[in-house]
Amino acid sequence: MSKTPNSGKAEDDRPSTVEQYLVKDPERFALNMARMIEQAGKAASAWAEPREKGDVRDHVAEPVVDMVKTFSKLSEYWLSDPQRALEAQTRLFSGYMTVWANSIQRLSDGGEDAEGAFKPEPGDKRFQDPEWGRNAFFDFLKQAYLVTSRWANDLVEHADGLDEHTRHKAGFYVKQVSNAISPSNFVLTNPELFRETIASNGENLVRGMKMLAEDIAAGKGDLKLRQADYSSFEIGKNLATTPGKVVGRSDVAEILQYDPATETVLKRPLLICPPWINKFYILDLNPQKSFIRWAVEQGHTVFVISWINPDERHGTKSWEAYIREGLQYGLDTIEKATGEQDVNAVGYCVGGTLLAAALALLAQEGDHRIKSATFFTTQVDFTHAGDLKVFVDEEQVAAVEKAMNEKGYLDGTKMATAFNMLRSGDLIWPYVVNNYMRGKDPLPFDLLYWNADSTRMAAANHSFYLRNCYLENRLSQGEMELAGRVVSLKDVTIPVYNLASKEDHIAPALSVFLGSKYFGGEVDYVLAGSGHIAGVVNPPAAQKYHYWTGGKPTGDFNEWLAKATNHPGSWWSHWQRWIEAKEDDTRVPARKPGKHMKTLGDAPGTYVKVRV
């Protein structure tokens, strides 16, 4: 079925032929299938052995079980009304009939390209291979999949009888299942994978199963999906390279002080409190992306808390311990190192939530050393906390607590998997296809190396966070208890710079906006472009994205955004001007680490290098 010369099609745009999907060397192909099965057996053994030894236990309230329960509630809603169920089935049947009619039309036209009735969403990278459109079989699979997945989404959207939490979970799980069953994920239903498998006589699958076995072994019984070539990176060599010293060490944190880059510096030192769910060097990936290095170059004396990667020894370390032995210890260390009591503080994500709670506690205790607070994508109110709330209800939290209490911590792979599931279409399935189907090693990428550098969660700390923030929302309501006190954000009267990011799936911009009203002082709300990481790690030199500033963060968020001023580029310089405006213009001679106290080694220290 060749095109006529007048069709305007290039040679490689002609309709596909059957030959490219036929095995050319059956003997070699059969041998590779046997090798693939052997490697698959090794993968199964790597999964089963830790469970047989009791090193890994699968608890009953795993996400799959919760997903089944959620879908059962969704099914009950639709099946409870026969008319409603019939209408839903009719919509699905109608979609399939449209796809079928479209396929028949293509066949009657002799296989010529036809406009599909159902198209992928703009930006969907799964169906870019030309065969998804010009081959009738693969086009049928694609459209049938799109019909089914969109129908399932509609079931959730129109399930008016479901409570909001169940509806949220159902929508999230439908998305996970839809991403998982996409025909792009399987050899026989993905034309590109099919061709590669035939062309290599199945060697891609042998390599892929070998990588799968290695990744399960690396996860000690759980799949530790590799997202980058990790061998290209080393912390302290080409990651986290801003020069400095370790000037303090407690059971939960090392305090890093960075070498100055200017002759004079701002009088107030800067203390950065990163999340312990990830490692601090997201703010110091490389010299071009490093917020820490940039802040040093602007004249800040920068101190950073580097949290311990906890083990069974830290199981009883609570939020109060992280405040006393992390934040307050950092303030004490700064005073010893510089002689300064007044400090500017930055908190990122859950590090910001801890900072906010600590500020409320310290205000009651009369500790007023922190004079301004900057929050990067931080939630203090969890009413609109995004898809992570899917994992938080009484049953699931109790199951996590049971798992943590057995070891004193939550395995880092559990948190990594949860975060990857928030963007499974970008962070899971493309790597499953690339690694285990195509048998190709992922490329080096510093951000994905950091993303895979998992941290454990200390049991008492993580339990407190889940219950007091996500489950019961006690911080914003003035009901959180710390150190025997009930703390209130109304007591935080210092200036606050509250940064959100527009496409954040972890700390949604709306959630950060609404959280602003709970502070007792002046709050400047700034909205950065992009997401939870790229919106924060956006150096001015990159000239990427935008940021929005406006009036007080009150009223309706969409109305605030409509009136806000749009600025091109990075918010970093805007923040620097804000900081400088909050203190006088006094500059002091640059402070070198170790001048007034003994140092404990070079930055980035030892805690950050502990891997799980």
Side-chain angles (χ1 to χ4, degrees):
M1 292 182 290
S2 62
K3 297 279 187 180
T4 64
N6 295 327
S7 67
K9 296 280 186 178
E11 180 70 22
D12 57 1
D13 284 336
R14 292 179 178 176
S16 58
T17 59
V18 177
E19 285 76 11
Q20 63 183 322
Y21 300 111
L22 298 179
V23 176
K24 305 299 189 299
D25 188 342
E27 185 176 348
R28 186 178 174 190
F29 188 86
L31 177 61
N32 282 330
M33 290 301 99
R35 293 171 58 202
M36 181 199 72
I37 294 172
E38 179 184 4
Q39 294 297 332
K42 292 180 180 179
S45 177
W47 181 87
E49 186 175 353
R51 287 164 173 79
E52 292 172 352
K53 293 180 178 179
D55 297 333
V56 173
R57 298 182 185 179
D58 295 318
H59 296 276
V60 294
E62 289 289 329
V64 172
V65 176
D66 186 68
M67 179 178 67
V68 171
K69 293 180 179 178
T70 302
F71 285 164
S72 295
K73 294 179 181 178
L74 181 65
S75 299
E76 287 175 8
Y77 170 80
W78 286 101
L79 296 176
S80 62
D81 184 336
Q83 180 64 30
R84 188 163 54 203
L86 179 61
E87 290 175 356
Q89 293 172 8
T90 301
R91 287 196 300 272
L92 180 62
F93 181 73
S94 176
Y96 286 153
M97 289 303 296
T98 301
V99 173
W100 180 254
N102 180 261
S103 299
I104 295 297
Q105 180 67 36
R106 291 193 60 169
L107 292 175
S108 66
D109 291 341
E112 297 289 329
D113 289 353
E115 188 73 14
F118 300 94
K119 304 179 184 64
E121 297 295 330
D124 190 337
K125 300 178 181 179
R126 294 174 296 179
F127 305 107
Q128 292 183 334
D129 189 277
E131 288 285 276
W132 286 111
R134 67 187 180 188
N135 183 294
F137 171 71
F138 293 115
D139 181 60
F140 177 84
L141 290 176
K142 176 189 70 178
Q143 292 199 58
Y145 164 74
L146 293 175
V147 166
T148 306
S149 59
R150 289 170 185 173
W151 174 79
N153 283 325
D154 287 342
L155 289 185
V156 177
E157 185 176 340
H158 297 105
D160 299 326
L162 289 181
D163 65 272
E164 192 55 39
H165 182 59
T166 301
R167 184 204 295 272
H168 189 181
K169 290 202 297 182
F172 179 81
Y173 288 138
V174 163
K175 182 178 179 181
Q176 301 308 312
V177 173
S178 295
N179 286 339
I181 66 172
S182 170
S184 60
N185 295 336
F186 305 97
V187 171
L188 295 180
T189 56
N190 181 326
E192 187 176 7
L193 290 177
F194 203 150
R195 290 196 307 269
E196 289 185 15
T197 301
I198 296 302
S200 69
N201 287 298
E203 290 182 3
N204 57 315
L205 299 181
V206 178
R207 296 192 303 269
M209 288 302 101
K210 182 175 183 294
M211 293 174 66
L212 178 63
E214 293 171 351
D215 289 353
I216 294 176
K220 299 178 181 178
D222 290 319
L223 177 62
K224 189 171 184 179
L225 181 66
R226 72 180 88 176
Q227 298 169 319
D229 176 9
Y230 304 141
S231 64
S232 300
F233 302 103
E234 183 178 348
I235 297 174
K237 293 293 180 65
N238 54 3
L239 296 170
T241 59
T242 302
K245 299 291 183 183
V246 180
V247 293
R249 182 179 292 128
S250 71
D251 284 346
V252 301
E254 288 182 330
I255 309 300
L256 312 179
Q257 181 184 355
Y258 289 91
D259 296 343
T262 55
E263 292 185 2
T264 61
V265 295
L266 292 169
K267 192 171 188 296
R268 287 185 198 164
L270 180 70
L271 176 63
I272 298 176
C273 179
W276 56 86
I277 290 175
N278 302 107
K279 295 184 177 179
F280 82 88
Y281 65 90
I282 187 59
L283 296 174
D284 192 26
L285 271 179
N286 60 48
Q288 291 72 42
K289 300 177 184 176
S290 174
F291 176 82
I292 290 172
R293 184 182 292 264
W294 181 87
V296 168
E297 292 170 350
Q298 307 313 303
H300 291 277
T301 306
V302 178
F303 292 79
V304 173
I305 297 171
S306 175
W307 298 107
I308 189 74
N309 203 336
D311 54 36
E312 59 275 359
R313 298 169 298 170
H314 305 92
T316 59
K317 294 290 184 181
S318 63
W319 256 43
E320 183 184 351
Y322 273 62
I323 291 173
R324 303 301 191 196
E325 301 174 40
L327 267 167
Q328 273 193 301
Y329 179 65
L331 296 174
D332 296 340
T333 304
I334 288 174
E335 191 170 348
K336 291 178 183 178
T338 67
E340 296 289 340
Q341 288 192 333
D342 293 354
V343 173
N344 296 315
V346 172
Y348 192 173
C349 190
V350 66
T353 310
L354 181 78
L355 172 61
L359 287 170
L361 173 62
L362 299 182
Q364 287 195 26
E365 295 180 341
D367 186 341
H368 302 290
R369 287 178 288 181
I370 296 177
K371 298 302 182 182
S372 78
T374 298
F375 298 108
F376 295 167
T377 58
T378 292
Q379 297 180 101
V380 295
D381 179 78
F382 289 77
T383 305
H384 302 280
D387 283 343
L388 279 176
K389 289 191 75 172
V390 167
F391 302 107
V392 184
D393 52 39
E394 180 58 42
E395 184 177 3
Q396 292 187 89
V397 171
V400 169
E401 289 173 334
K402 180 180 178 182
M404 290 192 298
N405 290 334
E406 293 176 357
K407 297 181 177 180
Y409 59 85
L410 180 68
D411 286 322
T413 53
K414 301 293 185 183
M415 286 301 301
T417 298
F419 279 111
N420 286 339
M421 285 178 68
L422 298 182
R423 293 175 55 206
S424 61
D426 297 321
L427 295 177
I428 294 180
W429 295 109
Y431 296 100
V432 170
V433 171
N434 181 77
N435 300 358
Y436 310 135
M437 303 293 179
R438 303 182 71 184
K440 293 185 176 181
D441 290 316
L443 299 173
F445 190 10
D446 53 6
L447 178 61
L448 290 177
Y449 176 92
W450 168 84
N451 189 59
D453 193 1
S454 303
T455 56
R456 307 182 189 98
M457 303 294 110
N461 183 5
H462 198 51
S463 175
F464 185 94
Y465 177 51
L466 292 178
R467 288 194 172 276
N468 281 268
C469 295
Y470 275 95
L471 192 58
E472 298 167 356
N473 200 19
R474 298 174 68 87
L475 178 57
S476 65
Q477 304 308 310
E479 299 173 352
M480 180 180 283
E481 295 185 18
L482 284 168
R485 298 173 182 265
V486 178
V487 299
S488 171
L489 293 177
K490 292 297 182 185
D491 294 330
V492 181
T493 57
I494 60 175
V496 167
Y497 188 99
N498 207 11
L499 178 79
S501 54
K502 196 172 185 180
E503 300 167 17
D504 199 334
H505 58 286
I506 295 174
L510 172 63
S511 182
V512 178
F513 178 86
L514 295 177
S516 300
K517 68 181 180 182
Y518 294 101
F519 293 102
E522 174 191 352
V523 177
D524 286 275
Y525 177 84
V526 178
L527 181 63
S530 196
H532 193 71
I533 301 300
V536 174
V537 184
N538 181 29
Q543 299 183 347
K544 294 176 65 176
Y545 312 127
H546 293 74
Y547 68 95
W548 291 261
T549 60
K552 292 183 178 180
T554 57
D556 181 79
F557 170 67
N558 291 322
E559 291 181 3
W560 180 94
L561 183 58
K563 297 177 182 178
T565 303
N566 185 332
H567 308 270
S570 172
W571 57 269
W572 288 13
S573 298
H574 178 268
W575 170 81
Q576 177 67 17
R577 293 192 296 272
W578 183 88
I579 281 283
E580 291 175 344
K582 299 306 174 187
E583 58 178 294
D584 58 37
D585 296 331
T586 302
R587 294 251 174 172
V588 299
R591 306 156 174 134
K592 294 184 178 180
K595 184 175 181 180
H596 301 292
M597 59 192 303
K598 182 180 178 181
T599 62
L600 305 175
D602 293 329
T606 58
Y607 283 2
V608 72
K609 295 180 180 179
V610 176
R611 295 183 64 85
V612 298

